[in-house]
Amino acid sequence: KAGVTQTPRYLIKTRGQQVTLSCSPISGHRSVSWYQQTPGQGLQFLFEYFSETQRNKGNFPGRFSGRQFSNSRSEMNVSTLELGDSALYLCASSGPSGGGEKLFFGSGTQLSVL
Amino acid sequence: AQSVTQLGSHVSVSEGALVLLRCNYSSSVPPYLFWYVQYPNQGLQLLLKYTSAATLVKGINGFEAEFKKSETSFHLTKPSAHMSDAAEYFCAVTPGYSSASKIIFGSGTRLSIRP
């Protein structure tokens, strides 16, 4: 069974640009969560999608948005990039019921904003 | 509300020595508790979880953790460290069975192994 796949693996952007990251969950998983990981702030929850609906959202500005498609694949978008957006962005999927009893993480997308 | 505190951002032990990574939690309802491990350039992987069954939980790679309600602790241990254990470890808590969005992660403890 394939794991959680995130693309691209690395991204370099400049301030003011926008970026779209992709996450394909494990087959059969309907919940996809996104996290931002930085050395100073640790893992911070961005949002969770379940069956194409945003179920919860973390404390991030509106520049951060996401969506989920009918095949459970998810994308997150960051507009008007700032230097502070440089981070490892992780997505995680969980089982058919979308419970948090076990998260499966992708390897992440390392975003560098110059 | 839930929170989790990991004591020590960096722990260094010798190969073959005991590994002890500390985690204390706060929860207003019976919690589920987790330890995740992150190897360099990878995502997180579940090591073990406590979901209100046995208080001593065994995980992968020889790790185990004990849920102590009186001490609100869930420390991670391994009797004998191996070089391959070098990684970052995260303790996490949720308010029982709940959606993935409710999970709260600690700040992480980086484990180094000395030859």
Side-chain angles (χ1 to χ4, degrees):
Chain A
K1 206 173 193 180
V4 178
T5 304
Q6 290 189 246
T7 56
R9 188 72 179 87
Y10 300 95
L11 266 178
I12 299 176
K13 293 287 186 179
T14 56
R15 280 181 301 172
Q17 287 186 309
Q18 75 165 18
V19 67
T20 299
L21 312 182
S22 179
C23 174
S24 293
I26 290 173
S27 177
H29 286 192
R30 294 191 290 164
S31 167
V32 174
S33 301
W34 288 89
Y35 296 85
Q36 182 194 66
Q37 185 179 22
T38 59
Q41 299 296 321
L43 276 158
Q44 292 190 282
F45 170 73
L46 279 156
F47 26 65
E48 181 198 6
Y49 287 88
F50 182 80
S51 293
E52 302 180 66
T53 301
Q54 188 180 86
R55 190 150 71 170
N56 213 336
K57 189 178 191 303
N59 189 26
F60 278 82
R63 300 185 296 107
F64 291 81
S65 63
R67 59 178 175 170
Q68 186 179 34
F69 303 96
S70 58
N71 62 358
S72 292
R73 189 178 71 86
S74 177
E75 290 181 345
M76 68 164 280
N77 183 275
V78 187
S79 62
T80 321
L81 283 166
E82 301 178 358
L83 295 179
D85 297 333
S86 294
L88 179 66
Y89 290 87
L90 293 166
C91 84
S93 72
S94 60
S97 63
E101 70 277 14
K102 183 173 183 178
L103 299 180
F104 295 82
F105 283 83
S107 296
T109 294
Q110 184 68 55
L111 173 64
S112 298
V113 182
L114 306 178
Chain B
Q2 284 70 43
S3 66
V4 63
T5 302
Q6 292 185 241
L7 302 174
S9 59
H10 185 211
V11 170
S12 179
V13 303
S14 298
E15 191 173 18
L18 171 72
V19 174
L20 171 60
L21 304 183
R22 301 177 187 273
C23 173
N24 287 90
Y25 70 91
S26 172
S27 180
S28 54
V29 298
Y32 283 8
L33 293 157
F34 310 83
W35 277 98
Y36 281 84
V37 61
Q38 184 178 31
Y39 298 103
N41 301 314
Q42 293 186 29
L44 281 69
Q45 177 185 2
L46 183 67
L47 266 181
L48 50 80
K49 62 181 179 181
Y50 165 78
T51 57
S52 75
T55 56
L56 182 61
V57 182
K58 295 186 183 299
I60 61 173
N61 301 337
F63 284 93
E64 63 182 35
E66 186 172 8
F67 171 70
K68 292 186 176 181
K69 184 178 179 180
S70 61
E71 299 176 9
T72 60
S73 68
F74 192 58
H75 302 330
L76 182 71
T77 60
K78 182 174 181 178
S80 178
H82 192 272
M83 295 299 291
S84 61
D85 295 327
E88 186 141 22
Y89 293 78
F90 294 90
C91 183
V93 63
T94 62
Y97 182 84
S98 56
S99 75
S101 62
K102 301 298 185 185
I103 189 167
I104 303 296
F105 287 93
S107 55
T109 297
R110 182 166 300 279
L111 176 63
S112 300
I113 311 297
R114 301 188 299 271

